[in-house]
Amino acid sequence: MAEQQDQIDRLREKIRQAKNVAVLTGAGISAESGVPTFRGEGGLWKQFRAVDLATPEAFSRDSRLVWEFYNWRRELIAPLSPNPGHYALAEIENLVPNFTVITQNIDGLHRKAGSKRIVELHGNLWWVRCTRCESLREDLRVPLPELPTCESCGALLRPHVVWFGEMLDPAVMDAAYEAISNCDLMMVIGTSGTVQPAASMGVQAKRNGASVAEINLDPTPYSDVYDIAISGKSGEILPRLLQA
Ligand code: OAD
């Protein structure tokens, strides 16, 4: 516990001195809001097979099933609220000259909490994209029709998320790498570090000379590589960084 407090104090001091902070978040930051993670106990990929639900092939094979999965996630997440971890990051953004949240999460909770500069690597559950004309819009209906169609051209819509086997949007990647290469401090929060390219972003920041701090309930493959590794719940640790 004394060691944890010491690490929190070190990180607080680094935030105080930093001009450019990049934060990478994963499912763990939303866990205390009630959003299931992917790999831990009760994780989504323990109950469902990603290949059946989160690949372009699955969508071509059975669009109805894939939409059923995303409608279920919409129903689950719609009533949930940001937790103290999300709110603390939004507050820290106001204290640092340049602050970017890069998130793998599609739940939209960082925006709900008030974070302003957000890079959503894997898309957003609340946006839909046309499979023909590519038009993109926010759609907050819960649930969406079984097979929702485009207002402009009538073709099938798909969730605006990145599936396994798909490329990340190059503009989104550019925004993420700009934040990573310019930061003097990076915080990596609530991610297991198993999915690329996000998994190696902390190491890249470190190679660029930034200090890197991890906040996670459990150790990850990177805990020993980073400068600071704080073991605990992000909803409890992040607010403590704001204490004077
Ligand atoms: P994972 O489910 O792989 O990992 C969640 C991490 O959060 C684990 O390391 C947990 O120990 C940690 N954790 C859980 N509760 C926490 C808490 N309260 N505070 C802090 N840490 C906590 O989720 P991601 O790393 O986000 O991609 O997964 C990466 C990607 O894999 C996802 O974006 C998704 C998934 O397949 C796509 O769908 C493309």
Side-chain angles (χ1 to χ4, degrees), residues 46-62:
K46 292 268 165 77
Q47 304 168 58
F48 305 107
R49 276 161 36 104
V51 288
D52 295 336
L53 299 165
T55 61
E57 293 75 22
F59 193 63
S60 312
R61 200 168 49 235
D62 195 343

Side-chain angles (χ1 to χ4, degrees), residues 64-87:
R64 202 178 291 271
L65 177 73
V66 173
W67 264 119
E68 199 181 313
F69 176 60
Y70 282 91
N71 263 327
W72 171 74
R73 289 177 73 185
R74 281 173 164 249
E75 279 175 29
L76 189 85
I77 291 171
L80 303 181
S81 306
N83 66 61
H86 295 106
Y87 287 118

Side-chain angles (χ1 to χ4, degrees), residues 155-237:
L156 182 64
L157 291 173
R158 58 163 282 174
H160 182 53
V161 299
V162 178
W163 284 324
F164 287 99
E166 290 187 315
M167 298 269 292
L168 272 63
D169 180 337
V172 169
M173 286 292 283
D174 285 351
Y177 282 117
E178 194 188 319
I180 291 162
S181 41
N182 291 332
C183 72
D184 35 69
L185 172 65
M186 178 151 178
M187 293 193 270
V188 180
I189 306 169
T191 177
S192 58
T194 43
V195 173
Q196 295 293 356
S200 51
M201 287 180 174
V203 172
Q204 287 177 22
K206 199 167 158 51
R207 276 202 204 113
N208 289 338
S211 298
V212 182
E214 177 181 78
I215 300 173
N216 202 304
L217 202 50
D218 302 308
T220 75
Y222 298 95
S223 305
D224 292 335
V225 176
Y226 297 149
D227 304 280
I228 296 176
I230 302 172
S231 175
K233 291 185 175 181
S234 48
E236 292 170 10
I237 305 291

Side-chain angles (χ1 to χ4, degrees), residues 86-106:
H86 295 106
Y87 287 118
L89 286 182
E91 265 189 68
I92 297 171
E93 182 168 5
N94 294 325
L95 305 174
V96 175
N98 288 302
F99 188 94
T100 306
V101 175
I102 303 163
T103 188
Q104 297 166 88
N105 300 343
I106 60 172

